[in-house]
């Protein structure tokens, strides 16, 4: 080839290569995406069809029916976006920094305009999602109701491990024994929902699902709405708590985390617990903890029937497990989420798994029967407990969302939690029902709980009908508790027959020991349809008429198998002093140990409940800057419960014996007025009517005693539902993005409130019992202060911010003529007059490091009322049971030293506070329950791919 030919070929190749290189360089230009939500600043509703463009590019996007948008590829670096929508002032959002391969969030609030002014633009800083502190404050700013909450960002900064710990940071909210208390009102006056649908409870003694089953790793936010609107169920007074699981990410998320926790009460301690085996590793009963595989003997059969003997001989015979050293608690979690590039389909899957150990070396339980202790111990009954427990918890969230065209979105959300707990107790104490020096009780208990919720929902814009919005939601939820093994065996302290000067333990003759197994299934089917029709008053869509229907169908089935075992009257003193496992050995059943199946202290019951409801409401800017949201809701409560009364002959189907029927029809008006005094100041005024209904467990007149020796629970079939009138006012100031200062007050008046009494009536072998009853009336009022403020912001230093809230609550309950005659008008149970939360945090400039310190305080609160009973000698007073207030301190430090990695160190109850209950006597407050809470130190590591 000649030199000229070679030069010609090189020239041709260069001519072809240069465009290819340029094209390759164009392809290699790094890009990212901008995504977010556009909302109406006056109403908080999403803006549909808003046009989003990126200045200096050809990138254009539009919002869907949720107000969401997601741009195609945008060059990296600082960008400015323009947001235009009919009826709103144009927004110019600056300072949106796009990073390569990532989606940056820029949510925008638009200001309504009476006439569209295309030439008018306002500078608007991007807002954030409800998973962030700033995003939740923005949602609060736009809400027509009084609301508070805690975001995923706040949760991540805390040492909290589950939802029950996180919600205690919300203004006006306390958690008592995992029960939510809002504004001094217990769980019966609050509602708990998951993604907008109410939940069943896996606890036979509780109305509301315990929040400790929701790991914080799965939460996006927890929001408490404190005033009502007609489109929400009307059975809440203190607050409606909605748990929001993780939302769909705007970019691919894949993260793994692990944490280990040192518990000062259990870690490295010698605990007498059964080892995990089989399915117990998954939180369900394995073969050793399940019911015996032999047939269950018939109810009220003859003592020591052959089938009863076989059943008892097949039971697990463990009362005092071999001690072993407990390891640290640990937990694992994983999250994966993504969406198609077009945003038409998004999904997120998250799961957690944890194993924990706890112990109490000397927990006190005591019950004072009178206000004087002159005849102690005759004036009280109680015990000191030595206990240990292990727990396994697993949870899964699986959410999928699909956008169908530009006007419809379908979502399928699922949550499943499973937990199992082994508990071993022994207690030493005294029993005033017996003329002896005291007793020792051994008890073993295994409980598994599960909760499933599946929800299918749709959201559609009906362009053919004035652009109306149709929303629907169908939910199935099931909670279950299985307690296959709960056994106790009691010994008495007494003088030795051989040596009267020596005290020995021996099982009594003629006193049966109890073994029982319970199973609970609680199921909900819920359907809701809402139609919103917009109209024009001053500007497009500034008046919304909304109407809808709601239906809840619930069934709860509680079954209880109760067996007794007692020594034959010919049993020798030597045999009566043998250890529990030797006395209950299979070879002794039917000879030295008499067995039987009975109803004992727990009757089975079956209940059904349905609530059809309908509503109509209006949401309108009645005057400039004044928004009215209100209307009327109508609910019908249908309730049917049946049970088997002790002493009756066994019916063919116990679900249809002795029915208790209730029906209430309630008109529930509500009105919320929000006056936007200026863009940074809101004034909320609200009035609403609500109800609180008794639960099936409370209406069922039978005993339930979960732990031997403690107070049993006794239902009351005459309970009636409570009606409540509510008034609220709150002034909110938003000085800057992500900041809030607010002050509010509330007043509530109750008719027929339900309260719990402690009585001395004895049933099921207990020394006291707790019974719900209707009081005549009550009132509750208070003040809430809340602040979130950025104290310092420096480019090279980062941000120091502070959150704090204080709640002052007072209440009075008119329990009845007996209390009134004695001059008693006590506060409502579970109400603390003072609640304080303070959080102080530092986040470094690039969010690589952070430190958070959290303080929580509550003042004394009545856990349960005592009782005032008139007698011939005067009033016999059983003192109220009071939980003493305490201050706890938590802290957490995080570090991200390498891309994708995060390390955390957290501590809970660093002040090592204890739980203390007292009853007031003539000699001052007497401890009636006391236990250690322990210090927990956790070390965690996570990696995001």
């Amino acid at each position: 080839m000649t030199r000229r030919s070679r030069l010609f070929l090189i020239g041709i190749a260069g001519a072809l290569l240069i465009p290819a290189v340029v094209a390759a360089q164009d392809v290699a230009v790094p890009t990212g995406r901008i995504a977010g939500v556009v909302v109406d600043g006056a109403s908080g509703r999403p803006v549909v069809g808003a046009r989003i463009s990126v200045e200096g590019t050809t990138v254009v996007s539009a919002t869907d029916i949720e107000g969401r948008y997601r741009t195609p590829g945008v060059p990296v670096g600082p960008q400015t976006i323009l947001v235009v929508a009919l009826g709103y002032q144009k927004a110019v959002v600056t300072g949106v920094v796009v990073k390569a391969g990532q989606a940056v969030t820029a949510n925008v609030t638009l200001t309504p305009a009476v006439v569209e002014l295309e030439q008018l633009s306002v500078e608007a800083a991007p807002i954030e999602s409800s998973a962030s502190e700033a995003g939740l404050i923005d949602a609060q700013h736009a809400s027509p109701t009084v609301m508070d909450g805690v975001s995923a960002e706040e949760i991540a900064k805390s040492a909290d491990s589950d939802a029950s710990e996180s919600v205690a940071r919300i203004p006006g909210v306390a958690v008592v024994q995992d029960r939510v208390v809002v504004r001094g009102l217990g769980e019966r006056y609050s509602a708990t929902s998951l993604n907008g649908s109410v939940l069943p409870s896996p606890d036979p003694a509780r109305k509301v699902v315990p929040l400790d089953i929701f790991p914080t790793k799965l939460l996006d936010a927890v929001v408490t709405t404190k005033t009502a609107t007609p489109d929400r169920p009307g059975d809440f007074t203190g607050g409606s708590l909605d748990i929001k699981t993780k939302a769909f990410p705007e970019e691919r998320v894949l993260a793994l985390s692990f944490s280990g926790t040192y518990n000062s009460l259990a870690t490295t301690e010698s605990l007498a617990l059964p080892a995990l085996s089989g399915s117990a590793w998954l939180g369900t009963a394995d073969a050793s903890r399940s019911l015996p595989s032999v047939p269950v003997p018939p109810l009220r059969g003859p003592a020591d029937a052959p089938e009863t003997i076989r059943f008892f001989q097949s039971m697990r015979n463990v009362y005092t497990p071999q001690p072993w050293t407990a390891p640290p608690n640990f937990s694992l979690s994983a999250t994966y989420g993504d969406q198609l590039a077009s945003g038409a389909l998004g999904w997120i899957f998250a799961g957690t798994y944890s194993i924990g150990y706890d112990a109490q070396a000397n927990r006190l339980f005591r019950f004072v029967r009178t206000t004087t202790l002159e005849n102690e111990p005759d004036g009280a009954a109680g015990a000191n407990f030595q206990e240990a427990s292990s727990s396994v918890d697993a949870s899964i969230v699986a959410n999928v969302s699909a956008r169908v065209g530009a006007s419809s979105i379908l979502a399928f959300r699922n949550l499943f939690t499973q937990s199992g707990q082994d508990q071993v107790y022994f207690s030493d104490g005294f029993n005033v029902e017996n003329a002896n020096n005291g007793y020792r009780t051994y008890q073993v208990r295994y409980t598994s709980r599960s909760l499933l919720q599946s929800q299918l929902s749709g959201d559609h814009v009906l362009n053919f009908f004035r652009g109306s919005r149709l929303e629907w939601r169908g939910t199935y939820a099931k909670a279950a508790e299985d307690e296959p093994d709960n056994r106790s065996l009691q010994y008495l302290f007494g003088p030795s027959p051989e040596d009267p000067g020596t005290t020995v333990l021996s099982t009594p003759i003629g006193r049966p020991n109890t073994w029982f197994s319970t199973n609970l299934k609680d199921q909900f089917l819920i359907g809701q349809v809402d139609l919103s029709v917009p109209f024009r008053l001053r500007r497009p869509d500034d008046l919304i008429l909304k109407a809808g229907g709601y239906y809840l169908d619930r069934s709860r089935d509680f079954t209880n198998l109760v067996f007794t075992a007692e020594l034959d009257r010919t049993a020798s003193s030597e045999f009566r002093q043998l250890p529990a496992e030797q006395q209950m050995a299979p070879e002794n059943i039917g000879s030295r140990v008499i067995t039987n199946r009975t109803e004992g202290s727990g009757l089975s019951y079956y209940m059904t409940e349905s609530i059809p409801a309908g509503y109509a409401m209006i949401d309108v800017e009645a005057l400039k800057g004044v928004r009215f949201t209100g209307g009327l809701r109508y609910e019908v409560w249908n309730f049917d419960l049946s049970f088997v009364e002790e002493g009756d002959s066994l019916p063919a189907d116990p679900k249809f014996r002795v029915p208790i029927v209730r029906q209430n029809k309630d008109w529930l008006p509500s009105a919320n007025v929000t006056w936007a005094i200026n863009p940074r100041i809101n004034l909320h005024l609200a009035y609403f009517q609500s109800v609180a209904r008794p639960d099936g467990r409370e209406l069922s007149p039978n005993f339930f005693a979960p732990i031997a020796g403690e107070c049993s629970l006794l239902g009351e079939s005459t309970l009636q539902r409570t009606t409540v009138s509510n008034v609220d006012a709150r002034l909110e100031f938003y000085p800057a993005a992500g900041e809030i200062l607010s002050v509010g007050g509330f007043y509530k008046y109750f008719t027929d409130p339900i309260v719990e009494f402690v009585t001395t009536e004895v049933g099921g072998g207990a020394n006291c019992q707790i019974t719900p009853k209707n009081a005549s009336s009550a009132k509750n009022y208070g003040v809430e202060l809340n602040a979130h403020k950025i104290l310092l912001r420096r480019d090279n230093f980062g941000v120091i911010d502070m959150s704090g809230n204080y709640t002052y609550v007072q209440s009075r309950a008119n329990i009845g003529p007996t209390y009134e005659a004695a001059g008693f008008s006590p506060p409502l149970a579970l109400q603390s007059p003072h609640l304080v939360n303070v959080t102080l945090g530092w986040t470094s400039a690039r969010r690589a490091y952070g430190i958070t310190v959290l303080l929580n305080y509550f003042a004394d609160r009545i856990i349960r009322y005592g009782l005032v009973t008139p007698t011939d000698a005067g009033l016999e007073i059983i003192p109220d049971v009071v939980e003493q207030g305490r201050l706890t301190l938590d802290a957490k430090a995080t570090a991200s030293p390498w891309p994708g990695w995060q390390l955390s160190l957290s501590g809970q109850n660093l002040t090592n506070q204890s739980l203390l209950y007292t009853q007031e006597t003539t000699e001052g407050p007497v401890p009636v329950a006391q236990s250690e809470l322990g210090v927990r130190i956790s070390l965690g590591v996570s990696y995001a791919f």
Side-chain angles (χ1 to χ4, degrees), residues 779-850:
K779 58 184 177 181
N780 165 264
Y781 54 92
V783 175
E784 293 176 337
L785 306 176
N786 184 35
H788 184 98
K789 179 68 177 174
I790 296 174
L791 303 179
L792 179 67
R793 188 194 299 270
R794 294 287 185 271
D795 292 341
N796 295 327
F797 176 75
V799 174
I800 295 178
D801 62 344
M802 187 273 296
S803 296
N805 57 74
Y806 166 71
T807 304
Y808 171 76
V809 182
Q810 285 294 321
S811 61
R812 287 291 179 268
N814 297 317
I815 304 299
T818 304
Y819 262 82
E820 292 172 4
F824 285 101
S825 183
L828 289 170
L830 307 183
Q831 175 245 301
S832 292
H834 306 283
L835 294 172
V836 179
N837 285 292
V838 177
T839 301
L840 184 64
W842 167 74
T843 305
S844 66
R846 298 185 179 181
R847 294 180 174 261
Y849 302 93

Side-chain angles (χ1 to χ4, degrees), residues 870-894:
T871 66
D872 293 339
L875 292 177
E876 178 186 353
I877 299 176
I878 299 175
D880 297 333
V881 179
V882 177
E883 181 179 6
Q884 297 297 304
R886 60 178 177 268
L887 184 150
T888 56
L889 182 68
D890 301 340
K892 185 173 184 178
T894 60

Side-chain angles (χ1 to χ4, degrees), residues 762-781:
V762 177
N767 296 301
C768 58
Q769 69 187 39
I770 301 165
T771 304
K773 294 183 182 296
N774 285 111
S776 58
S777 64
K779 58 184 177 181
N780 165 264
Y781 54 92

Side-chain angles (χ1 to χ4, degrees), residues 101-125:
Q102 298 183 19
V104 60
T105 300
N107 296 344
V108 182
T109 297
L110 294 182
T111 302
V114 176
V115 179
E116 183 182 10
L117 302 175
E118 189 66 36
Q119 74 279 6
L120 177 64
S121 68
V122 296
E123 297 298 315

Side-chain angles (χ1 to χ4, degrees), residues 119 176 247 365 374 387 426 451 462 495 555 590 618 700 784 904 918:
Q119 74 279 6
V176 185
F365 175 82
E374 294 176 356
E387 57 191 41
F426 80 83
L451 175 67
L462 309 180
S555 65
I618 185 172
S700 178
E784 293 176 337
S904 65
T918 62

Side-chain angles (χ1 to χ4, degrees), residues 391-444:
S391 58
V392 175
D393 297 275
S395 301
I396 297 173
V397 162
N399 294 343
V400 180
S401 177
R403 184 171 62 188
V404 183
S407 59
S408 292
I409 289 181
L410 299 176
F412 186 43
R413 299 180 177 91
N414 301 273
L415 170 78
F416 178 74
T417 71
Q418 177 71 52
S419 63
Q421 186 178 44
D422 250 320
Q423 296 171 286
V424 177
Y425 308 83
F426 80 83
S427 60
D428 289 332
F430 50 87
N431 185 331
V432 298
E433 302 301 319
N434 299 286
N436 56 68
N437 296 326
Y439 65 87
R440 171 170 291 180
T441 301
Y442 294 92
Q443 183 174 11
V444 294

Side-chain angles (χ1 to χ4, degrees), residues 319-519:
Y319 289 87
T320 54
Q322 291 298 314
W324 54 280
T325 302
N329 302 343
F330 79 91
S331 66
L332 302 168
S333 68
T335 303
Y336 171 64
D338 205 351
Q339 60 173 263
L340 299 179
S342 62
L345 183 69
W347 60 88
I348 189 163
F349 305 97
T352 68
Y353 179 81
S354 64
I355 296 179
Y357 302 93
D358 206 353
Q360 288 288 329
N362 191 24
R363 179 172 69 86
L364 170 69
F365 175 82
R366 190 178 182 185
F367 176 66
V368 176
R369 293 176 179 269
T370 66
T371 57
T372 176
L373 297 180
E374 294 176 356
N375 300 318
E376 184 78 14
D378 293 334
N384 287 312
F385 286 83
Q386 318 297 313
E387 57 191 41
S389 65
S390 63
S391 58
V392 175
D393 297 275
S395 301
I396 297 173
V397 162
N399 294 343
V400 180
S401 177
R403 184 171 62 188
V404 183
S407 59
S408 292
I409 289 181
L410 299 176
F412 186 43
R413 299 180 177 91
N414 301 273
L415 170 78
F416 178 74
T417 71
Q418 177 71 52
S419 63
Q421 186 178 44
D422 250 320
Q423 296 171 286
V424 177
Y425 308 83
F426 80 83
S427 60
D428 289 332
F430 50 87
N431 185 331
V432 298
E433 302 301 319
N434 299 286
N436 56 68
N437 296 326
Y439 65 87
R440 171 170 291 180
T441 301
Y442 294 92
Q443 183 174 11
V444 294
R445 183 186 186 196
Y446 182 82
T447 308
S448 67
R449 293 176 177 171
S450 63
L451 175 67
L452 168 69
Q453 188 200 71
S454 291
Q455 182 186 100
L456 182 64
S457 62
D459 195 347
H460 316 274
V461 171
L462 309 180
N463 293 314
F464 61 87
F465 184 44
R466 303 181 58 87
S468 300
R469 188 168 190 145
L470 177 67
E471 300 170 88
W472 56 268
R473 181 165 59 230
T475 305
Y476 170 75
K478 178 181 179 180
E481 180 183 80
D482 184 25
E483 188 175 13
D485 187 10
N486 189 333
R487 290 170 291 125
S488 60
L489 184 64
Q490 190 173 96
Y491 289 80
L492 299 181
F493 290 103
S496 169
E498 295 80 15
D499 182 5
T502 303
T503 300
V504 296
L505 283 171
S506 62
T507 51
I509 297 292
R511 167 174 287 192
N513 293 288
T514 303
W515 177 93
F516 64 90
S517 170
T518 65
N519 184 268

Side-chain angles (χ1 to χ4, degrees), residues 618-701:
I618 185 172
D619 187 350
V620 60
E621 187 178 0
L623 300 171
K624 185 177 181 181
V626 179
R627 179 184 179 187
F628 174 84
T629 306
L632 188 63
R633 184 179 184 89
Y634 178 66
E635 292 188 350
V636 180
W637 179 52
N638 301 299
F639 179 88
D640 194 333
L641 180 142
S642 57
F643 59 94
V644 180
E645 286 186 327
E646 190 168 3
D648 285 356
S649 59
L650 182 67
D653 188 347
K655 294 181 180 179
F656 300 99
R657 290 298 308 273
V658 196
I660 297 174
V661 178
R662 293 281 189 279
Q663 185 183 72
N664 293 118
K665 300 177 181 180
D666 294 297
W667 293 96
L668 304 174
S670 62
N672 294 268
V673 176
T674 303
W675 178 22
I677 299 173
N678 62 45
R680 293 187 178 184
I681 300 178
N682 279 350
L683 174 63
H684 288 282
L685 301 172
Y687 168 81
F688 65 100
Q689 288 273 358
S690 59
V691 295
R693 303 179 177 108
D695 193 62
R697 172 77 273 279
E698 297 173 320
L699 286 166
S700 178

